Amino acid sequence: NAGVTQTPKFRVLKTGQSMTLLCAQDMNHEYMYWYRQDPGMGLRLIHYSVGEGTTAKGEVPDGYNVSRLKKQNFLLGLESAAPSQTSVYFCASSRQYLLAGKNIQYFGAGTRLSVL
Amino acid sequence: EDQVTQSPEALRLQEGESSSLNCSYTVSGLRGLFWYRQDPGKGPEFLFTLYSAGEEKEKERLKATLTKKESFLHITAPKPEDSATYLCAVQAERDDKIIFGKGTRLHILP
């Protein structure tokens, strides 16, 4: 009964390094999302996907790239990390609205990233 | 631009002291409004979805209501275990984006 799994849970990067955050869901959800959460800023949408092979920009997409090659996985990439990307990153998934009617988002436990 | 504003930012209540949290929103075509609870160090956990003005949902000591411009989360006779950050979010019909407010940190004193 895993739900949404994020890896890694913690990471420290140096400025300019790259990394990929992995989100995996086992609920056969169509929609997946990446958010960042900073003190006083709430959850801000980075990118999202409404289906396999599709991605779209959210509120704060700059400096990030995403891919959804498989329905169950949503990858968030940082090509050249900057200190401003220090944050807690959350992945979420949900069913397609028209199919489910409720569109509840299920969240992972988060990835805490520090960029020095 | 779609926006979600929550108030107050923080709220301290005595155990048993009822109150309400506010979520005001502007969105072009509301697909749904969501309430989540977030405990420290964890991801948000779903509470309610509201779809149309006049709708109400209840769960234990929590009751969510919706108008055309805002939603309220009413907490009746809260207990210390209700302490958490409560998040409001809206989804737009136009693009299915889900946008969150900054949350209200609720602390219930025993």
Side-chain angles (χ1 to χ4, degrees), chain B residues 1-8 21-27 30 33 35 65-73 88-90 99-102 104:
Chain B
E1 183 180 343
D2 302 332
Q3 278 193 332
V4 179
T5 303
Q6 291 187 246
S7 62
L21 313 182
N22 177 264
C23 172
S24 62
Y25 65 90
T26 54
V27 65
L30 179 69
L33 183 140
W35 282 99
T65 62
L66 181 65
T67 72
K68 288 187 177 180
K69 293 185 178 181
E70 58 190 351
S71 176
F72 291 93
L73 184 64
C88 173
V90 297
I99 305 296
F100 280 80
K102 294 180 180 181
T104 294

Side-chain angles (χ1 to χ4, degrees), chain A residues 31 37 48 101-103 105, chain B residues 36 38 41 51 91 95-96:
Chain A
Y31 291 7
Q37 189 172 42
Y48 64 109
K102 285 194 173 182
N103 204 21
Q105 280 184 312
Chain B
Y36 285 82
Q38 186 175 23
Y51 296 101
Q91 184 174 34
D95 54 16
D96 280 334

Side-chain angles (χ1 to χ4, degrees), chain A residues 31 33 35 37 40-43 45 48 50 57-59 90 94 97-98 101-109 112, chain B residues 1-2 31-32 34 36 38 40-46 49 51 87 89 91 95-103:
Chain A
Y31 291 7
Y33 313 80
Y35 293 89
Q37 189 172 42
M41 298 296 292
L43 279 164
L45 182 63
Y48 64 109
V50 298
K57 293 181 180 180
E59 300 172 271
F90 286 100
S94 68
Y97 173 80
L98 291 177
K102 285 194 173 182
N103 204 21
I104 298 168
Q105 280 184 312
Y106 294 85
F107 282 82
R112 283 146 187 81
Chain B
E1 183 180 343
D2 302 332
R31 174 151 279 171
F34 310 90
Y36 285 82
Q38 186 175 23
K42 296 188 177 181
E45 181 180 340
F46 173 79
T49 308
Y51 296 101
L87 303 171
Q91 184 174 34
D95 54 16
D96 280 334
K97 265 190 232 180
I98 296 180
I99 305 296
F100 280 80
K102 294 180 180 181

